Amino acid sequence: MRVVICGAGAVGACLAYFLARRGATPIVVERAGVACAASGKSGGFLALDWCDRTPLERLARRSFALHASLAEELAEDWGYRRMTTYAGHGGEGVRGAAGRHRLAWVADGIALTDRLGSTDTTAQVHPGRFTAAMMSAAEAHGAELRNVSATRIVRGRDGGVQAVETGDGTISADAVVIAMGPWSRSAAQWLPLPPVYGLKGHSLVFETGSRIPPEALFIEYQESSGARSSPEVFPRADGTTYVCAISSESPVPLDPAEVAPDEGAIARLEAICRALSPVLAESPILARQACYRPVTPHGLPLIGPVPGTKGAFVATGHSVWGILNAPATGEALAEVIVEGAAGTVDLAPFAPRRFG
Ligand SMILES: Cc1cc2nc3c(=O)[nH]c(=O)nc-3n(C[C@H](O)[C@H](O)[C@H](O)COP(=O)(O)OP(=O)(O)OC[C@H]3O[C@@H](n4cnc5c(N)ncnc54)[C@H](O)[C@@H]3O)c2cc1C
Protein backbone atom coordinates (compact mmCIF):
# COMPACT_ATOMS: atom_id res chain seq x y z
CA MET A 1 0.00 0.00 0.00
CA ARG A 2 1.59 3.29 -1.14
CA VAL A 3 0.77 6.16 1.19
CA VAL A 4 2.00 9.63 0.26
CA ILE A 5 2.46 11.78 3.38
CA CYS A 6 2.67 15.52 2.65
CA GLY A 7 4.93 17.14 5.28
CA ALA A 8 7.92 15.85 7.28
CA GLY A 9 7.20 17.48 10.63
CA ALA A 10 6.81 15.42 13.81
CA VAL A 11 3.33 14.26 12.75
CA GLY A 12 4.34 13.19 9.22
CA ALA A 13 7.53 11.48 10.44
CA CYS A 14 5.75 9.54 13.21
CA LEU A 15 3.01 8.47 10.81
CA ALA A 16 5.63 7.28 8.30
CA TYR A 17 7.28 5.21 11.05
CA PHE A 18 4.09 3.51 12.22
CA LEU A 19 2.88 2.90 8.62
CA ALA A 20 6.21 1.35 7.66
CA ARG A 21 6.08 -0.86 10.78
CA ARG A 22 2.68 -2.10 9.55
CA GLY A 23 4.06 -3.08 6.14
CA ALA A 24 2.79 -0.10 4.12
CA THR A 25 5.12 1.93 1.88
CA PRO A 26 5.10 5.56 3.01
CA ILE A 27 6.50 8.18 0.64
CA VAL A 28 7.03 11.43 2.55
CA VAL A 29 7.13 14.57 0.44
CA GLU A 30 8.63 17.58 2.20
CA ARG A 31 8.81 21.03 0.66
CA ALA A 32 11.62 22.60 2.73
CA GLY A 33 13.40 20.10 5.03
CA VAL A 34 12.64 17.53 7.75
CA ALA A 35 11.61 19.39 10.95
CA CYS A 36 12.29 22.77 9.31
CA ALA A 37 9.18 24.33 10.90
CA ALA A 38 7.60 24.08 14.39
CA SER A 39 8.74 20.48 14.75
CA GLY A 40 12.34 21.69 14.81
CA LYS A 41 11.82 25.00 16.63
CA SER A 42 9.40 24.15 19.42
CA GLY A 43 9.94 23.36 23.08
CA GLY A 44 9.65 19.57 22.96
CA PHE A 45 8.02 19.56 26.40
CA LEU A 46 5.86 16.50 27.22
CA ALA A 47 3.25 16.04 29.94
CA LEU A 48 1.37 12.91 30.96
CA ASP A 49 -1.75 14.42 32.48
CA TRP A 50 -2.05 18.07 31.41
CA CYS A 51 -4.72 17.16 28.82
CA ASP A 52 -6.78 15.09 31.30
CA ARG A 53 -10.54 15.72 31.30
CA THR A 54 -10.31 17.07 27.72
CA PRO A 55 -10.89 15.22 24.42
CA LEU A 56 -7.08 14.95 24.15
CA GLU A 57 -6.67 12.85 27.31
CA ARG A 58 -6.31 9.39 25.70
CA LEU A 59 -4.12 10.68 22.86
CA ALA A 60 -1.78 12.51 25.25
CA ARG A 61 -1.46 9.64 27.73
CA ARG A 62 -0.76 7.10 24.97
CA SER A 63 1.75 9.51 23.40
CA PHE A 64 3.56 10.16 26.67
CA ALA A 65 4.05 6.39 27.04
CA LEU A 66 5.12 6.01 23.39
CA HIS A 67 7.77 8.73 23.78
CA ALA A 68 9.33 6.70 26.60
CA SER A 69 9.18 3.37 24.75
CA LEU A 70 10.44 4.79 21.42
CA ALA A 71 13.42 6.37 23.22
CA GLU A 72 14.26 2.95 24.62
CA GLU A 73 13.61 0.89 21.46
CA LEU A 74 15.26 3.01 18.77
CA ALA A 75 19.03 3.34 18.71
CA GLU A 76 19.26 7.12 18.26
CA ASP A 77 19.48 9.64 21.12
CA TRP A 78 17.15 12.64 20.73
CA GLY A 79 17.51 14.04 24.22
CA TYR A 80 14.52 12.30 25.81
CA ARG A 81 14.57 12.75 29.58
CA ARG A 82 12.24 13.30 32.51
CA MET A 83 12.02 16.75 34.16
CA THR A 84 10.65 18.55 37.19
CA THR A 85 8.41 21.45 36.20
CA TYR A 86 7.61 24.68 38.09
CA ALA A 87 5.21 27.61 37.65
CA GLY A 88 5.95 31.13 38.77
CA HIS A 89 5.67 34.83 38.09
CA GLY A 90 7.83 37.92 37.97
CA GLY A 91 8.38 41.23 36.32
CA GLU A 92 11.14 43.51 35.16
CA GLY A 93 12.82 45.25 38.09
CA VAL A 94 11.24 42.95 40.72
CA ARG A 95 13.73 41.79 43.38
CA GLY A 96 13.45 39.11 46.05
CA ALA A 97 9.92 37.93 45.23
CA ALA A 98 8.60 35.28 47.60
CA GLY A 99 7.84 31.80 46.29
CA ARG A 100 7.49 28.30 47.73
CA HIS A 101 10.38 26.94 45.65
CA ARG A 102 13.91 28.18 45.14
CA LEU A 103 16.16 27.13 42.22
CA ALA A 104 19.80 28.25 42.21
CA TRP A 105 19.80 29.21 38.51
CA VAL A 106 16.59 31.29 38.63
CA ALA A 107 16.75 35.05 39.38
CA ASP A 108 15.62 36.36 42.80
CA GLY A 109 12.83 38.38 41.16
CA ILE A 110 11.04 35.26 39.96
CA ALA A 111 8.65 33.72 42.50
CA LEU A 112 8.26 29.98 41.91
CA THR A 113 4.85 29.26 43.36
CA ASP A 114 3.95 25.68 42.32
CA ARG A 115 5.46 22.43 41.20
CA LEU A 116 3.42 21.56 38.11
CA GLY A 117 5.01 18.21 37.34
CA SER A 118 7.49 15.63 38.58
CA THR A 119 9.77 13.23 36.73
CA ASP A 120 6.80 10.84 36.70
CA THR A 121 4.59 13.26 34.78
CA THR A 122 6.77 15.63 32.73
CA ALA A 123 9.54 14.99 30.21
CA GLN A 124 11.13 16.46 27.09
CA VAL A 125 12.72 15.68 23.74
CA HIS A 126 14.82 17.76 21.39
CA PRO A 127 11.97 18.06 18.85
CA GLY A 128 14.09 18.44 15.72
CA ARG A 129 16.25 15.44 16.59
CA PHE A 130 13.19 13.41 17.55
CA THR A 131 11.50 14.17 14.21
CA ALA A 132 14.66 13.41 12.21
CA ALA A 133 15.18 10.16 14.13
CA MET A 134 11.58 9.05 13.51
CA MET A 135 12.01 9.80 9.80
CA SER A 136 15.28 7.78 9.70
CA ALA A 137 13.63 4.90 11.56
CA ALA A 138 10.77 5.00 9.05
CA GLU A 139 13.27 4.88 6.18
CA ALA A 140 15.01 1.92 7.81
CA HIS A 141 11.64 0.13 7.59
CA GLY A 142 11.10 0.98 3.91
CA ALA A 143 9.74 4.56 3.87
CA GLU A 144 11.02 7.03 1.30
CA LEU A 145 11.67 10.76 1.74
CA ARG A 146 11.49 13.11 -1.24
CA ASN A 147 12.41 16.79 -1.05
CA VAL A 148 9.60 18.17 -3.18
CA SER A 149 6.47 20.21 -2.69
CA ALA A 150 3.02 18.60 -2.94
CA THR A 151 0.98 20.73 -5.32
CA ARG A 152 -2.28 18.86 -5.99
CA ILE A 153 -4.19 15.64 -5.55
CA VAL A 154 -5.12 13.67 -8.65
CA ARG A 155 -8.45 11.84 -8.37
CA GLY A 156 -9.65 8.75 -10.21
CA ARG A 157 -13.05 8.37 -11.91
CA ASP A 158 -14.68 7.46 -8.59
CA GLY A 159 -13.39 10.71 -7.04
CA GLY A 160 -10.91 8.79 -4.87
CA VAL A 161 -7.19 9.55 -4.54
CA GLN A 162 -5.12 8.23 -7.43
CA ALA A 163 -1.89 10.22 -7.18
CA VAL A 164 -0.20 13.27 -5.70
CA GLU A 165 1.24 15.87 -8.02
CA THR A 166 4.54 17.37 -6.83
CA GLY A 167 7.02 19.94 -8.07
CA ASP A 168 8.93 16.99 -9.53
CA GLY A 169 6.32 14.75 -11.16
CA THR A 170 3.33 12.69 -10.08
CA ILE A 171 3.47 9.96 -7.42
CA SER A 172 0.79 7.29 -7.66
CA ALA A 173 -0.83 6.59 -4.33
CA ASP A 174 -3.43 4.37 -2.67
CA ALA A 175 -3.80 7.00 0.04
CA VAL A 176 -2.59 10.52 0.81
CA VAL A 177 -2.20 12.21 4.20
CA ILE A 178 -2.09 15.97 4.65
CA ALA A 179 0.35 16.63 7.51
CA MET A 180 1.62 20.05 6.48
CA GLY A 181 1.11 21.83 9.81
CA PRO A 182 -0.22 25.38 9.23
CA TRP A 183 0.37 24.92 5.48
CA SER A 184 -2.37 22.27 5.50
CA ARG A 185 -4.73 25.14 4.72
CA SER A 186 -3.32 25.16 1.15
CA ALA A 187 -4.64 21.59 0.82
CA ALA A 188 -8.15 23.02 1.23
CA GLN A 189 -7.83 23.86 -2.48
CA TRP A 190 -7.48 20.13 -3.23
CA LEU A 191 -9.77 18.58 -0.61
CA PRO A 192 -12.85 19.54 1.44
CA LEU A 193 -10.96 20.34 4.66
CA PRO A 194 -11.91 22.53 7.63
CA PRO A 195 -9.65 25.60 7.94
CA VAL A 196 -6.24 25.36 9.63
CA TYR A 197 -4.37 28.47 10.77
CA GLY A 198 -0.92 29.26 12.14
CA LEU A 199 -0.11 31.06 15.43
CA LYS A 200 3.42 32.38 15.63
CA GLY A 201 5.75 31.97 18.61
CA HIS A 202 9.32 33.22 19.15
CA SER A 203 12.20 31.38 20.78
CA LEU A 204 15.87 31.54 21.75
CA VAL A 205 18.33 28.71 22.27
CA PHE A 206 21.16 29.36 24.75
CA GLU A 207 24.39 27.44 25.24
CA THR A 208 24.20 26.86 29.00
CA GLY A 209 26.36 23.73 29.36
CA SER A 210 25.71 21.81 32.58
CA ARG A 211 24.73 24.89 34.64
CA ILE A 212 20.97 24.28 34.43
CA PRO A 213 19.53 20.97 35.69
CA PRO A 214 16.44 19.31 34.11
CA GLU A 215 13.98 21.84 35.59
CA ALA A 216 11.33 23.36 33.30
CA LEU A 217 9.65 26.70 34.03
CA PHE A 218 6.29 28.19 33.04
CA ILE A 219 6.37 31.87 34.07
CA GLU A 220 3.84 34.70 33.93
CA TYR A 221 5.96 37.78 33.30
CA GLN A 222 5.36 41.53 33.13
CA GLU A 223 7.75 43.51 30.95
CA SER A 224 8.74 47.15 31.76
CA SER A 225 6.34 48.31 29.01
CA GLY A 226 3.49 46.66 30.93
CA ALA A 227 3.14 43.93 28.29
CA ARG A 228 2.48 40.47 29.72
CA SER A 229 3.99 37.29 28.34
CA SER A 230 4.32 33.67 29.37
CA PRO A 231 7.90 32.47 28.87
CA GLU A 232 8.52 28.72 28.96
CA VAL A 233 12.05 27.54 29.76
CA PHE A 234 13.31 24.07 28.85
CA PRO A 235 16.95 23.15 29.63
CA ARG A 236 17.94 20.29 27.33
CA ALA A 237 20.13 17.21 27.66
CA ASP A 238 22.54 18.55 25.00
CA GLY A 239 23.66 21.49 27.17
CA THR A 240 21.38 24.05 25.54
CA THR A 241 18.38 25.83 27.04
CA TYR A 242 15.31 26.70 24.96
CA VAL A 243 13.03 29.63 25.88
CA CYS A 244 9.86 30.58 24.02
CA ALA A 245 7.30 33.38 24.46
CA ILE A 246 5.59 36.23 22.59
CA SER A 247 2.88 34.97 20.24
CA SER A 248 1.61 36.87 17.25
CA GLU A 249 -0.96 36.51 14.50
CA SER A 250 1.42 37.51 11.68
CA PRO A 251 0.38 35.76 8.46
CA VAL A 252 2.00 32.42 7.62
CA PRO A 253 4.36 32.87 4.62
CA LEU A 254 3.70 30.58 1.65
CA ASP A 255 7.20 29.12 1.86
CA PRO A 256 8.03 27.42 5.22
CA ALA A 257 11.69 28.41 4.71
CA GLU A 258 10.70 32.10 4.92
CA VAL A 259 9.39 32.12 8.51
CA ALA A 260 11.24 34.88 10.40
CA PRO A 261 10.79 36.57 13.81
CA ASP A 262 8.56 39.68 14.07
CA GLU A 263 10.41 42.96 14.40
CA GLY A 264 11.30 43.66 18.04
CA ALA A 265 10.12 40.29 19.37
CA ILE A 266 13.59 38.81 19.76
CA ALA A 267 14.93 41.89 21.62
CA ARG A 268 11.96 41.64 24.04
CA LEU A 269 12.56 37.93 24.56
CA GLU A 270 16.27 38.48 25.21
CA ALA A 271 15.40 41.08 27.88
CA ILE A 272 12.93 38.67 29.51
CA CYS A 273 15.57 35.91 29.58
CA ARG A 274 18.17 38.20 31.19
CA ALA A 275 15.66 38.93 33.97
CA LEU A 276 14.64 35.27 34.38
CA SER A 277 18.08 33.84 35.09
CA PRO A 278 21.63 35.07 35.62
CA VAL A 279 22.82 31.93 33.81
CA LEU A 280 20.79 32.83 30.71
CA ALA A 281 21.99 36.46 30.99
CA GLU A 282 25.60 35.41 30.53
CA SER A 283 25.18 32.48 28.09
CA PRO A 284 25.79 32.77 24.34
CA ILE A 285 22.65 32.65 22.16
CA LEU A 286 22.81 29.93 19.51
CA ALA A 287 19.47 30.56 17.75
CA ARG A 288 16.93 33.39 17.45
CA GLN A 289 13.87 32.00 15.69
CA ALA A 290 10.12 31.81 15.16
CA CYS A 291 7.66 29.13 14.10
CA TYR A 292 3.91 28.58 13.68
CA ARG A 293 1.81 26.06 15.54
CA PRO A 294 -1.11 24.67 13.54
CA VAL A 295 -4.50 25.55 15.03
CA THR A 296 -8.12 24.83 14.10
CA PRO A 297 -11.20 26.97 14.90
CA HIS A 298 -12.51 24.34 17.33
CA GLY A 299 -9.15 23.97 19.11
CA LEU A 300 -8.77 20.23 18.47
CA PRO A 301 -6.51 18.42 16.00
CA LEU A 302 -7.96 17.03 12.78
CA ILE A 303 -7.06 13.36 12.47
CA GLY A 304 -8.75 10.88 10.15
CA PRO A 305 -10.35 10.36 6.74
CA VAL A 306 -11.37 13.41 4.71
CA PRO A 307 -15.08 13.02 4.02
CA GLY A 308 -16.09 12.41 0.41
CA THR A 309 -12.64 11.56 -0.95
CA LYS A 310 -11.71 7.89 -0.71
CA GLY A 311 -8.05 7.47 0.28
CA ALA A 312 -7.59 11.03 1.61
CA PHE A 313 -6.62 11.60 5.26
CA VAL A 314 -5.48 14.52 7.39
CA ALA A 315 -3.37 14.83 10.56
CA THR A 316 -2.80 18.39 11.69
CA GLY A 317 -3.97 21.16 14.05
CA HIS A 318 -2.11 19.85 17.13
CA SER A 319 -1.47 23.39 18.41
CA VAL A 320 0.74 23.48 21.55
CA TRP A 321 0.89 19.68 21.90
CA GLY A 322 2.13 18.55 18.47
CA ILE A 323 5.40 17.06 19.70
CA LEU A 324 3.72 15.32 22.62
CA ASN A 325 0.87 13.94 20.51
CA ALA A 326 2.69 13.07 17.28
CA PRO A 327 3.51 9.43 18.19
CA ALA A 328 -0.03 8.38 19.19
CA THR A 329 -1.44 10.30 16.21
CA GLY A 330 0.91 8.43 13.86
CA GLU A 331 0.19 5.10 15.48
CA ALA A 332 -3.61 5.43 15.49
CA LEU A 333 -3.85 6.90 11.98
CA ALA A 334 -1.59 4.14 10.62
CA GLU A 335 -4.06 1.65 12.12
CA VAL A 336 -6.96 3.43 10.39
CA ILE A 337 -5.19 3.52 7.02
CA VAL A 338 -3.88 -0.07 7.04
CA GLU A 339 -6.42 -1.91 9.18
CA GLY A 340 -9.51 0.27 8.74
CA ALA A 341 -9.91 1.29 12.41
CA ALA A 342 -7.82 2.69 15.26
CA GLY A 343 -7.29 0.25 18.12
CA THR A 344 -4.93 2.20 20.38
CA VAL A 345 -6.75 5.56 20.66
CA ASP A 346 -10.31 6.49 19.68
CA LEU A 347 -9.90 9.17 17.01
CA ALA A 348 -13.63 10.04 16.88
CA PRO A 349 -13.20 13.41 18.71
CA PHE A 350 -10.80 14.51 15.95
CA ALA A 351 -12.70 13.20 12.89
CA PRO A 352 -12.68 15.89 10.15
CA ARG A 353 -16.33 15.09 9.30
CA ARG A 354 -17.37 16.45 12.74
CA PHE A 355 -16.10 19.90 11.82
CA GLY A 356 -17.24 19.92 8.16
C1 LIG B 1 6.95 28.31 19.99
C2 LIG B 1 6.34 26.94 20.02
C3 LIG B 1 6.62 26.05 21.06
C4 LIG B 1 6.04 24.79 21.10
N1 LIG B 1 6.35 23.94 22.13
C5 LIG B 1 5.81 22.69 22.17
C6 LIG B 1 6.12 21.80 23.22
O1 LIG B 1 6.88 22.13 24.13
N2 LIG B 1 5.53 20.56 23.23
C7 LIG B 1 4.67 20.16 22.24
O2 LIG B 1 4.15 19.04 22.30
N3 LIG B 1 4.37 21.00 21.20
C8 LIG B 1 4.92 22.24 21.14
N4 LIG B 1 4.60 23.10 20.13
C9 LIG B 1 3.67 22.65 19.07
C10 LIG B 1 4.37 21.76 18.04
O3 LIG B 1 5.62 22.30 17.70
C11 LIG B 1 3.53 21.62 16.77
O4 LIG B 1 2.18 21.29 17.10
C12 LIG B 1 4.09 20.52 15.88
O5 LIG B 1 5.45 20.75 15.63
C13 LIG B 1 3.33 20.46 14.57
O6 LIG B 1 3.92 19.44 13.81
P1 LIG B 1 3.40 19.14 12.36
O7 LIG B 1 4.16 17.97 11.85
O8 LIG B 1 1.92 19.06 12.36
O9 LIG B 1 3.72 20.46 11.50
P2 LIG B 1 5.09 21.21 11.10
O10 LIG B 1 6.17 20.98 12.07
O11 LIG B 1 4.69 22.62 10.80
O12 LIG B 1 5.51 20.49 9.76
C14 LIG B 1 4.81 20.67 8.55
C15 LIG B 1 5.76 20.35 7.41
O13 LIG B 1 5.04 20.42 6.17
C16 LIG B 1 5.92 20.94 5.18
N5 LIG B 1 5.13 21.45 4.06
C17 LIG B 1 4.42 22.59 3.99
N6 LIG B 1 3.83 22.69 2.77
C18 LIG B 1 4.17 21.58 2.07
C19 LIG B 1 3.89 21.10 0.76
N7 LIG B 1 3.08 21.78 -0.08
N8 LIG B 1 4.44 19.92 0.35
C20 LIG B 1 5.25 19.19 1.19
N9 LIG B 1 5.56 19.62 2.46
C21 LIG B 1 5.02 20.78 2.89
C22 LIG B 1 6.68 22.03 5.94
O14 LIG B 1 7.88 22.38 5.26
C23 LIG B 1 6.91 21.36 7.30
O15 LIG B 1 8.14 20.66 7.35
C24 LIG B 1 5.16 24.38 20.06
C25 LIG B 1 4.89 25.25 19.01
C26 LIG B 1 5.45 26.52 18.97
C27 LIG B 1 5.14 27.43 17.82
Side-chain angles (χ1 to χ4, degrees):
M1 186 180 196
R2 281 162 70 87
V3 184
V4 174
I5 301 170
C6 306
V11 172
C14 286
L15 175 61
Y17 173 76
F18 285 104
L19 277 172
R21 291 299 305 262
R22 277 173 174 71
T25 306
I27 301 161
V28 182
V29 297
E30 165 53 48
R31 174 177 172 154
V34 174
C36 66
S39 298
K41 294 175 181 162
S42 70
F45 178 78
L46 315 172
L48 169 72
D49 51 2
W50 291 20
C51 298
D52 280 6
R53 292 171 297 283
T54 78
L56 288 169
E57 176 170 343
R58 296 279 304 279
L59 192 71
R61 283 185 166 263
R62 174 73 186 159
S63 253
F64 191 81
L66 279 174
H67 270 288
S69 58
L70 288 167
E72 243 181 65
E73 282 159 27
L74 300 181
E76 256 180 85
D77 174 12
W78 51 80
Y80 174 82
R81 65 176 178 174
R82 300 295 181 120
M83 313 189 85
T84 309
T85 304
Y86 297 90
H89 58 81
E92 194 151 319
V94 178
R95 295 277 170 271
R100 284 170 55 203
H101 304 275
R102 191 79 210 101
L103 302 179
W105 60 277
V106 177
D108 283 349
I110 305 298
L112 297 176
T113 48
D114 294 290
R115 204 179 72 161
L116 296 177
S118 69
T119 50
D120 289 333
T121 58
T122 53
Q124 70 175 160
V125 293
H126 186 299
R129 288 191 195 158
F130 167 70
T131 302
M134 292 308 292
M135 193 58 240
S136 302
E139 288 178 273
H141 284 91
E144 196 189 317
L145 173 65
R146 298 193 192 175
N147 270 107
V148 283
S149 184
T151 51
R152 197 171 70 91
I153 284 172
V154 182
R155 294 163 187 257
R157 282 211 184 121
D158 63 352
V161 170
Q162 197 174 56
V164 176
E165 208 172 82
T166 73
D168 188 27
T170 302
I171 307 172
S172 67
D174 300 304
V176 61
V177 184
I178 305 302
M180 306 192 305
W183 293 276
S184 300
R185 71 187 173 144
S186 58
Q189 295 164 29
W190 323 328
L191 291 167
L193 278 176
V196 179
Y197 307 97
L199 263 186
K200 197 175 196 176
H202 295 82
S203 56
L204 299 173
V205 181
F206 293 84
E207 187 181 344
T208 46
S210 56
R211 286 182 295 167
I212 304 189
E215 294 163 341
L217 304 182
F218 286 75
I219 304 294
E220 290 306 318
Y221 188 82
Q222 182 158 9
E223 297 169 60
S224 56
S225 64
R228 289 178 182 275
S229 57
S230 307
E232 301 175 5
V233 185
F234 306 125
R236 289 176 170 162
D238 65 357
T240 63
T241 296
Y242 172 97
V243 185
C244 65
I246 308 178
S247 302
S248 90
E249 293 184 7
S250 324
V252 181
L254 281 180
D255 185 349
E258 281 175 10
V259 175
D262 290 354
E263 208 182 319
I266 291 295
R268 278 175 62 199
L269 186 50
E270 287 184 22
I272 293 171
C273 289
R274 283 194 294 273
L276 284 181
S277 160
V279 178
L280 293 179
E282 60 196 32
S283 295
I285 298 176
L286 302 175
R288 297 168 170 86
Q289 58 196 13
C291 62
Y292 287 87
R293 58 188 161 95
V295 292
T296 58
H298 44 81
L300 289 176
L302 291 171
I303 313 169
V306 177
T309 311
K310 193 167 159 265
F313 299 83
V314 63
T316 189
H318 290 70
S319 190
V320 294
W321 290 121
I323 304 301
L324 169 66
N325 288 330
T329 297
E331 181 187 46
L333 190 54
E335 291 166 351
V336 172
I337 294 170
V338 177
E339 288 140 29
T344 43
V345 173
D346 177 14
L347 293 178
F350 318 116
R353 73 177 133 65
R354 292 190 59 202
F355 309 106

